[in-house]
Amino acid sequence: MSYCVNCGVELDSSLPSCPLCNTPVIHPGQLRQASPYPLERGQVETVKRKDLGILLTIVLSATSIGCALLNLFVFNNSLWSLLIIGICIILFVLSIPAVIYTKQPIYLSLLLDGVAIGAYLYMITYLTASDRWFWQLAVPIVALATLLAEILALCIRKLPVSIIATALYIFAEAAILCIGIELFIDRYLGKPLSPSWSAIVLTVCGIIVIALITLLSKRRLRDAVRRRLHF
């Protein structure tokens, strides 16, 4: 038995409307049929990586070509467009393993990243008076950073992986990178090869590395640290 939604009088289930106020009787089963919303659940089609890669390539190419044309015909005081073209090249290379070709080996991706950064720095030489800084400073630092990135990827893939082990690899390579950067700078400036600020970084990273090695070698200590830090 149902009741009128307007006056509250008791209604027979067969009545199409209320006999007292003529309000239409709507049964619960009819609400689904009268609903203005679609009954089927819709689903948005996922964007394909290929289409996203095409869009990204077109946007970066159009940006590079547009800036090159502006530099050639309008603002031609300097080769400023090389800076933007270099950034577009770096963004394209970085997007290859994520969007365009997901099966690209990590080692090849890191190598291409280093080459792209080196090419960008070489473009900057056209805006400077000399390219000596590029060959004696930029190239060695980029090469060292690329090599350390390759070694880090190798360690993560081939050696036991954990937060403590990954932190060990990162701190060890950070010390090597800082030492290398300072030595390259001293060589570029013609100074004696003697670490100063990088020695501080080396000391701090060395202490952290020794502590992490101790944690990894002592299972009970390692488990206690993991429980307390929730990882």
Side-chain angles (χ1 to χ4, degrees):
M1 192 66 68
S2 58
Y3 298 89
C4 178
V5 296
N6 184 36
C7 62
V9 68
E10 188 175 350
L11 303 174
D12 187 80
S13 58
S14 61
L15 292 176
S17 62
C18 176
L20 184 62
C21 62
N22 293 325
T23 300
V25 178
I26 299 178
H27 298 282
Q30 297 175 343
L31 293 176
R32 181 176 178 85
Q33 299 176 359
S35 176
Y37 301 102
L39 302 180
E40 297 181 358
R41 176 181 294 180
Q43 185 176 0
V44 179
E45 185 178 359
T46 57
V47 179
K48 295 182 179 180
R49 293 182 183 270
K50 180 180 179 181
D51 297 335
L52 186 59
I54 293 175
L55 176 62
L56 183 63
T57 303
I58 292 175
V59 170
L60 294 177
S61 301
T63 302
S64 301
I65 295 173
C67 291
L69 293 176
L70 285 174
N71 194 179
L72 182 63
F73 296 107
V74 183
F75 308 103
N76 51 12
N77 294 328
S78 63
L79 296 175
W80 57 268
S81 62
L82 293 178
L83 301 178
I84 300 177
I85 294 173
I87 289 294
C88 291
I89 293 175
I90 292 177
L91 293 176
F92 178 77
V93 173
L94 291 176
S95 66
I96 291 177
V99 177
I100 300 175
Y101 184 61
T102 57
K103 296 182 180 180
Q104 180 173 281
I106 182 63
Y107 308 109
L108 179 59
S109 299
L110 293 173
L111 179 60
L112 292 178
D113 294 341
V115 172
I117 295 174
Y120 176 67
L121 294 175
Y122 182 72
M123 291 179 180
I124 297 178
T125 61
Y126 287 93
L127 302 176
T128 58
S130 174
D131 60 353
R132 176 173 168 267
W133 66 270
F134 173 76
W135 299 108
Q136 296 187 8
L137 191 61
V139 170
I141 291 177
V142 172
L144 177 61
T146 304
L147 177 62
L148 292 176
E150 297 277 5
I151 295 175
L152 178 61
L154 181 64
C155 292
I156 293 177
R157 284 177 170 264
K158 301 298 182 181
L159 299 179
V161 179
S162 65
I163 295 180
I164 299 177
T166 304
L168 171 64
Y169 307 147
I170 293 175
F171 279 106
E173 292 198 352
I176 298 174
L177 179 62
C178 291
I179 288 289
I181 289 176
E182 185 172 15
L183 293 180
F184 290 141
I185 293 175
D186 291 341
R187 177 173 170 268
Y188 174 73
L189 298 176
K191 297 180 179 180
L193 301 180
S194 58
S196 57
W197 60 267
S198 61
I200 301 175
V201 179
L202 178 62
T203 302
V204 174
C205 291
I207 295 173
I208 296 175
V209 166
I210 293 174
L212 293 176
I213 292 176
T214 304
L215 288 177
L216 291 174
S217 60
K218 303 295 182 180
R219 181 177 179 181
R220 288 183 297 181
L221 183 59
R222 181 175 68 249
D223 294 339
V225 171
R226 288 177 175 173
R227 286 195 301 267
R228 284 164 173 77
L229 297 181
H230 303 286
F231 64 80

